[in-house]
Every structure is written in C-alpha cells, then in structure tokens.
Amino acid sequence: MHAPFGIDLVTAATALSAAAVFALLVAIYAATTVRDPMAARLKALNERREQLKAGITASTRKRARITKTAQTTQQMRALLGSLKVLQESQLKDAQTKLVQAGIRTKDAAIAVIFARLALPILIGGAFVVGVYLLDWFPSWGGFKRYAVVAGSLILSYKAPDIYISNRISKRTDAIRKGLPDALDLLVICAEAGLTVDAAFQRVARELGKGYPELGDEFTLTAIELGFLTDRRMAFENLANRVALDSVKGIVTTMIQTEKYGTPLASALRVLSSEFRHERMMKAEEKAARLPAIMTVPLILFILPVLFVVILGPAACSIKDNMLK
C-alpha cells in the first residue's frame, strides 16, 4: 500500500486511534471530577471556625492564667502586709529596677520582695537542717559549717537582686552599643522634616532587628509621646527606664529643644559625635590595658615554652658531650 509522506497508513491510523482514546479518557476524568465551589467554600469556612475556636480557647486560657497570677500576687501582697515588711519605697525601688531590666509587669515587684523573704527561709532552712541535724559534712569543723549556713542565707537573700542587676547590666550594654547609630538616624529623620514622634517610631523600626532593646524603648517612647498630655513626661520615663547617663543627656536635649525651640538636628549631631568619641576612647582604653592583662599569661604559658624550645637542644647536646 502506498504511504503518503513516507508514513504507513496502518501506523497513522493506530496513532490517531490512540490519541482519540486518550482524549476520551481525559474527557471522562474531567466530567467525573468536577469540583463543587461550594464544597471548597464550606471547607474554608470550617477551617476559619476552627481557628476562631482555637483563638477563643487560647484567650480564655490566657485570661484564666492572668487571673490566677493576679490572685497569687494578691496573696503574696496580703502575706507581706500582715508581716509589716511591705513598704511603698521598697516597692517603688523594685519596680524601677525591674523596668530597667526590661520587666514591666507590676506584679513582678511583689514577687521579688516575696522571694527575698521566702528564699532564705527555704534554702537557708534546708542548709540548717542538713548541716546541723542530718550531718551533711561530718568531717567539717564548726566554723566551716557556720560559714556554709551563713553563706546560703546571704546568697538566697541576695539572689533576686543579683539576677535583676545582671539583667540590667546586659540590657544597658546592649542599648549603649546602638545609641550612636540611633542618634544618627534621629538626625537624618529630623533633617528630613519628620516630627519627634515619627522620628522615634522610624528609628525603632530600623533598629529593631539589630538592637531590639533600644528599638523597644524607642517604640514605647513614641507611643507615650502620642498619648501623654505632657511630652516631657515621656522623655523622663525613657531616662528612668534606661540606666545610662548618655540617655539622660539625650532626654535633657530633647526637653530643651521642646521647650526653647532650638534646632533638634544640630543638637543631636553634637551628641552623636560625642558618643562616638566616647566609644572610641573606651576601645582605646581597653587596647591600652591589653599589655598589662597579657603579662600573667605570657609569664605562665608562653615563656616556659620558649625556654624549653630554645634551651632544650642545647641541654641535650651538653648531656651527650658529657656522656662521651
């Protein structure tokens, strides 16, 4: 049989039959698997309802947890009040330190004061019972036992203050590192025509990833500048929340510019250059102390090795010559 275009008619018929069968199967699959749009909509609504239920449950649990915490705080407050150990000055000082440490919960101050009372009783009492009644250290003398008990009492009483002081120190160092960059951004925002509120908000957004502690403080200051009637109070709150003299200098500058209408950009530029100069001086001071710090490791670890390397071959050759 003659094959037009060089293609066998049997092969062409087979290929066309296969294509027709494939198209028929595709049509049957498409007809039997038509998706109902309402089913997808109902599925989405059910998922949204489950999410809302989960959110309501989570918020209910959160409210229950907050209520339980408030009840515990009230019990601790009542106990401290009955023992006449809760003073307003002490509570205010604890709240100030907690804010400087980044803990803004008011109930935490009550917990700190209660921990000062409870930890010595629990830990110190455990050491008293263990050392004097259970005989934990039988080979120790009376002075050592007394020192252990007294040390446990003092450390358990000072443990909350030590923890808070450590957090304040770390947070202050983190804020100090990002302060010159924040001032540079404030200068740029002021020169661009932004208001003080918008400038603080923008700087907080830009520095939030690199310096989260500083971004948090600037965000809170921007919020307070927006709703407080006295803007000076917002700046003073910033100075109280951060235990840094440089921040207090910034706050003083901000208050003066708000009061007298002096140019903010020029004042911030001067402060920024001063802070950068101060940071450079601290780096130079650490570099100048490095030789004195390296003296002890040099004497203990490096010089003995040099003596062994330099005098060792000479000692070996002298020994070999003496044995000959």
Side-chain angles (χ1 to χ4, degrees):
M1 184 180 294
H2 178 69
F5 303 104
I7 301 175
D8 190 7
L9 292 178
V10 176
T11 304
T14 304
L16 291 175
S17 301
V21 172
F22 179 75
L24 180 62
L25 292 176
V26 169
I28 294 172
Y29 176 78
T32 55
T33 59
V34 176
R35 295 184 179 181
D36 188 6
M38 291 301 297
R41 179 61 178 168
L42 290 175
K43 183 178 179 181
L45 290 175
N46 291 328
E47 291 178 355
R48 179 59 178 169
R49 184 174 60 184
E50 294 297 329
Q51 291 176 0
L52 291 175
K53 286 183 180 180
I56 293 172
T57 305
S59 62
T60 304
R61 292 177 181 176
K62 186 177 181 180
R63 286 196 298 268
R65 186 166 60 250
I66 292 173
T67 304
K68 186 177 180 180
T69 304
Q71 292 176 355
T72 305
T73 304
Q74 291 297 329
Q75 293 175 359
M76 289 189 293
R77 183 188 289 272
L79 179 60
L80 293 174
S82 62
L83 295 176
K84 306 296 183 183
V85 296
L86 185 61
Q87 301 176 358
E88 289 297 328
S89 60
Q90 187 181 14
L91 184 62
K92 186 176 181 181
D93 183 64
Q95 288 177 351
T96 302
K97 290 184 177 179
L98 286 170
V99 168
Q100 292 176 355
I103 304 172
R104 298 189 178 90
T105 307
K106 294 183 178 180
D107 298 337
I110 301 294
V112 169
I113 298 174
F114 183 79
R116 292 175 185 170
L117 177 65
L119 289 180
I121 296 175
L122 295 177
I123 299 177
F127 270 89
V128 169
V129 172
V131 171
Y132 290 107
L133 297 181
L134 300 179
D135 198 14
W136 281 357
F137 309 104
S139 61
W140 284 14
F143 178 76
K144 287 185 177 180
R145 293 186 176 188
Y146 173 76
V148 168
V149 173
S152 64
L153 288 171
I154 294 173
L155 288 177
S156 58
Y157 176 76
K158 290 292 184 180
D161 295 333
I162 293 173
Y163 172 74
I164 293 172
S165 299
N166 187 23
R167 288 199 58 167
I168 291 174
S169 178
K170 291 182 178 179
R171 195 166 186 270
T172 303
D173 292 338
I175 292 175
R176 184 187 293 111
K177 291 179 181 178
L179 202 56
D181 298 333
L183 284 179
D184 290 339
L185 289 177
L186 280 176
V187 170
I188 295 172
C189 293
E191 291 178 347
L194 294 179
T195 61
V196 178
D197 311 11
F200 270 89
Q201 189 68 36
R202 183 57 185 267
V203 172
R205 186 166 63 250
E206 293 293 335
L207 294 180
K209 295 182 179 179
Y211 305 100
E213 295 85 1
L214 186 59
D216 186 18
E217 292 297 335
F218 272 36
T219 301
L220 187 56
T221 303
I223 294 172
E224 290 182 347
L225 286 171
F227 74 85
L228 287 179
T229 57
D230 189 5
R231 296 169 65 87
R232 177 172 182 166
M233 189 182 298
F235 294 122
E236 290 178 351
N237 291 337
L238 175 61
N240 293 329
R241 290 194 304 267
V242 181
L244 272 178
D245 294 335
S246 55
V247 173
K248 293 177 180 170
I250 295 173
V251 167
T252 303
T253 303
M254 290 289 183
I255 293 175
Q256 289 178 355
T257 54
E258 289 278 339
K259 184 177 181 180
Y260 300 107
T262 56
L264 179 61
S266 59
L268 291 177
R269 188 181 293 107
V270 173
L271 283 176
S272 177
S273 62
E274 289 180 358
F275 291 158
R276 288 189 182 280
H277 182 65
E278 181 182 357
R279 189 165 64 176
M280 183 62 66
M281 288 181 61
K282 288 183 179 180
E284 292 176 355
E285 181 182 355
K286 289 183 179 180
R289 287 188 300 172
L290 189 60
I293 296 174
M294 289 296 296
T295 301
V296 176
L298 181 66
I299 294 173
L300 293 179
F301 303 106
I302 299 177
L303 289 181
V305 177
L306 288 177
F307 290 153
V308 171
V309 172
I310 295 173
L311 300 178
C316 292
S317 61
I318 292 172
K319 179 181 178 181
D320 294 339
N321 293 329
M322 291 179 65
L323 292 176
K324 288 181 180 179

